[in-house]
């Protein structure tokens, strides 16, 4: 009889893309498995999951707002409502297992599953676990981690160091540098910088690039700039007429972008695991308001291994572009960063996780 699995979570590409990779691996091993995603209404997963070919149910839930406490007044009501929605989803779908990948919807789904004795699995993307995952981990069946040394957050006997699932088109990409550069209409003879601030954009990265936009041409550099959706028009205007800059709000063909890049500027959420796979020198700008400051922890995990450079968010305007220009002229440092980041890549995390889940519920 076909098994039924719920995958809960989302909010950012760093949670959604690994979740889809896990779902795809489960379907490769057991094609008859039924998979239902559960996400938060109004969030990115409600668009991206159906695009990947999966059904998703949305919960009326929001996270704790750290910047404006007044906005948290309605949280208890939303949480109660979401538990009612989860109860209905479970009654209709009757899951054999649930998987939480992080994001607002993970907590009510896994909590309800655990109260009903349904096997629950956690995938912790970050090297600093969030409070809700640490709480859920006490009763979870198994916990998959993208980083080593996670015993300080979870029961050691439940831990499996799986790595972080990375999109198959990135893991198995055969796109050459020249193909990537031609795709973006740029010049193969120039050092190419790729800036990816995430789907919604990274304010500090975008502002730093906008302020110093002319310095790229002055240093014989070209830029592939993903601005995110929020203020894309403003940054497109900044780059208008500059033949060395390709700019858009979102890059769908990330395999081409990674192939084109000689140096990458990025936040340090789930993207850091893609950076390990593509093995390029990276300058990381952690988002300082991420839960438990996990992006700084993710970045330092690489920086301490001399596998990436870091620029603080509040110093990005002054230091980011100068750091990138300096790195572009330092071949020895580029080689060192490449040599140290490549061994950190794990390319079969999705299969490890899918196998463990299916073996547990067979």
């Amino acid at each position: 009889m076909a098994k039924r699995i719920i995958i809960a979570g989302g909010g950012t590409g760093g949670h959604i893309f690994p979740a889809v990779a896990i779902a795809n691996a489960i379907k490769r091993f057991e094609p008859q498995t039924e998979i239902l995603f559960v996400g938060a209404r109004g969030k990115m997963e409600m668009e991206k999951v159906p695009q990947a070919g999966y059904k998703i149910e949305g919960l009326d839930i929001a996270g704790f707002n750290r910047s404006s406490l007044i906005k948290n007044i309605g949280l208890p009501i939303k949480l109660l409502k979401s538990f009612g929605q989860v109860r209905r989803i479970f009654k209709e779908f009757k899951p054999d297992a649930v998987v939480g990948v992080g994001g607002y919807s993970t907590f009510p789904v896994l909590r309800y599953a655990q109260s009903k004795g349904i096997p629950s699995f956690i995938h912790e993307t970050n090297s600093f676990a969030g409070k809700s995952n640490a709480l859920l981990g006490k009763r979870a069946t198994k916990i998959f981690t993208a980083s080593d040394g996670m015993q300080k957050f979870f029961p050691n006997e439940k831990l499996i160091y799986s790595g972080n699932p990375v999109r198959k088109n990135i893991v198995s990409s055969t796109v050459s540098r020249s193909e990537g550069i031609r795709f973006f209409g740029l010049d193969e003879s120039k050092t190419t910088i790729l800036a990816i601030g995430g789907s919604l954009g990274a304010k500090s990265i975008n502002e730093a690039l906008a302020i110093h936009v002319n310095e790229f041409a002055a240093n014989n550099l070209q830029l592939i700039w993903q601005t995110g959706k929020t203020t894309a028009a403003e940054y497109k205007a900044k780059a208008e007429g500059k033949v060395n800059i390709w700019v858009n709000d979102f890059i769908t063909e990330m395999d081409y972008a990674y192939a084109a890049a000689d140096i990458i500027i990025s936040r340090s959420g789930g993207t850091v695991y893609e950076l390990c796979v593509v093995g390029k020198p990276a300058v990381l700008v952690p988002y300082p308001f991420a839960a438990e400051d996990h992006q700084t922890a993710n970045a330092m995990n690489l920086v301490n291994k001399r596998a990436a450079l870091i620029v603080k968010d509040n110093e990005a305007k002054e230091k980011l572009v100068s750091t990138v220009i300096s790195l572009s002229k330092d071949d020895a440092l580029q080689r060192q960063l490449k040599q140290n980041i490549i061994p950190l890549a794990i390319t079969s995390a999705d299969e490890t996780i899918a196998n463990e889940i299916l073996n547990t519920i067979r």
Side-chain angles (χ1 to χ4, degrees):
M1 191 173 166
K3 296 295 183 184
R4 294 168 162 241
I5 297 172
I6 286 177
I7 300 179
T12 66
H15 289 140
I16 297 162
F17 297 130
V20 169
I22 293 167
N24 289 343
I26 289 170
K27 294 289 271 185
R28 283 200 302 277
F29 290 134
E30 299 279 353
Q32 71 277 21
T33 306
E34 290 184 50
I35 295 174
L36 174 68
F37 279 75
V38 177
R41 279 198 185 134
K43 291 294 178 181
M44 186 180 169
E45 59 266 26
M46 302 307 294
E47 176 191 346
K48 297 293 178 189
V49 168
Q51 284 175 2
Y54 293 99
K55 188 184 173 191
I56 186 167
E57 293 256 12
L59 304 181
D60 293 303
I61 191 168
F64 185 78
N65 192 309
R66 288 170 172 78
S67 58
S68 174
L69 295 178
I70 196 84
K71 291 180 180 173
N72 296 308
I73 289 171
L75 271 187
I77 295 163
K78 284 184 176 176
L79 195 59
L80 280 172
K81 188 177 180 183
S82 70
F83 270 104
Q85 292 167 328
V86 168
R87 197 177 298 115
R88 174 190 58 77
I89 291 166
F90 273 60
K91 195 175 177 183
E92 292 173 3
F93 189 71
K94 298 181 175 62
D96 296 291
V98 299
V99 185
V101 295
Y104 304 149
S105 57
T106 293
F107 185 80
V109 172
L110 264 72
R111 198 67 163 161
Y112 189 77
Q114 290 173 353
S115 74
K116 297 295 178 187
I118 297 167
S120 63
F121 302 86
I122 293 170
H123 181 262
E124 177 54 73
T125 302
N126 298 303
S127 47
F128 194 104
K131 287 186 175 67
S132 63
N133 268 2
L135 189 63
L136 292 164
K138 292 171 185 171
R139 295 177 65 187
T141 308
K142 284 177 182 169
I143 301 151
F144 306 103
T145 66
S147 305
D148 50 9
M150 297 298 282
Q151 296 87 345
K152 55 185 176 285
F153 303 106
F154 300 112
N156 192 41
E157 67 278 8
K158 296 181 179 184
L159 283 177
I160 296 170
Y161 174 35
S162 62
N164 199 63
V166 173
R167 290 174 274 184
K168 270 281 174 271
N169 66 326
I170 292 166
V171 170
S172 54
S173 174
T174 56
V175 180
S176 68
R177 179 181 182 274
S178 60
E179 284 172 329
I181 287 172
R182 282 201 305 272
F183 181 85
F184 292 97
L186 296 172
D187 182 346
E188 286 180 53
S189 68
K190 290 183 176 173
T191 299
T192 306
I193 314 300
L194 168 64
I196 40 173
S199 55
L200 299 176
K203 189 169 183 280
S204 62
I205 293 175
N206 283 337
E207 287 179 350
L209 297 178
I211 292 165
H212 301 281
V213 74
N214 294 322
E215 292 176 36
F216 288 90
N219 287 277
N220 203 32
L221 301 175
Q222 56 193 7
L223 174 66
I224 299 169
W225 183 3
Q226 177 182 281
T227 64
K229 291 178 182 176
T230 322
T231 48
E234 177 190 337
Y235 298 116
K236 283 179 182 177
K238 283 276 184 189
E240 200 170 340
K242 293 178 170 55
V243 295
N244 68 316
I245 298 179
W246 181 98
V247 58
N248 208 349
D249 60 336
F250 194 74
I251 301 171
T252 307
E253 300 83 357
M254 280 305 299
D255 47 343
Y256 282 83
Y258 283 137
D262 297 303
I263 294 168
I264 299 168
I265 299 167
S266 176
R267 287 295 199 199
S268 49
T271 311
V272 294
Y273 305 104
E274 293 187 349
L275 300 181
C276 295
V277 169
V278 299
K280 301 286 177 81
V283 180
L284 303 174
V285 186
Y287 178 58
F289 304 110
E292 280 79 39
D293 198 18
H294 67 251
Q295 288 210 4
T296 299
N298 289 350
M300 291 310 298
N301 197 32
L302 295 186
V303 172
N304 291 336
K305 292 166 183 166
R306 296 183 180 177
L309 303 180
I310 188 171
V311 171
K312 288 182 182 177
D313 188 83
N314 62 1
E315 296 178 346
K317 279 186 191 176
E318 295 78 33
K319 294 185 179 178
L320 178 58
V321 173
S322 61
T323 299
V324 169
I325 290 168
S326 174
L327 178 59
S328 74
K329 295 174 180 176
D330 190 337
D331 290 341
L333 181 54
Q334 286 184 54
R335 278 197 301 275
Q336 183 193 63
L337 295 176
K338 277 185 190 176
Q339 284 167 4
N340 292 338
I341 201 169
I342 287 170
L344 303 178
I346 297 175
T347 56
S348 58
D350 55 342
E351 295 180 353
T352 300
I353 294 165
N355 259 323
E356 285 288 344
I357 292 166
L358 291 169
N359 288 336
T360 302
I361 63 175
R362 276 191 183 112

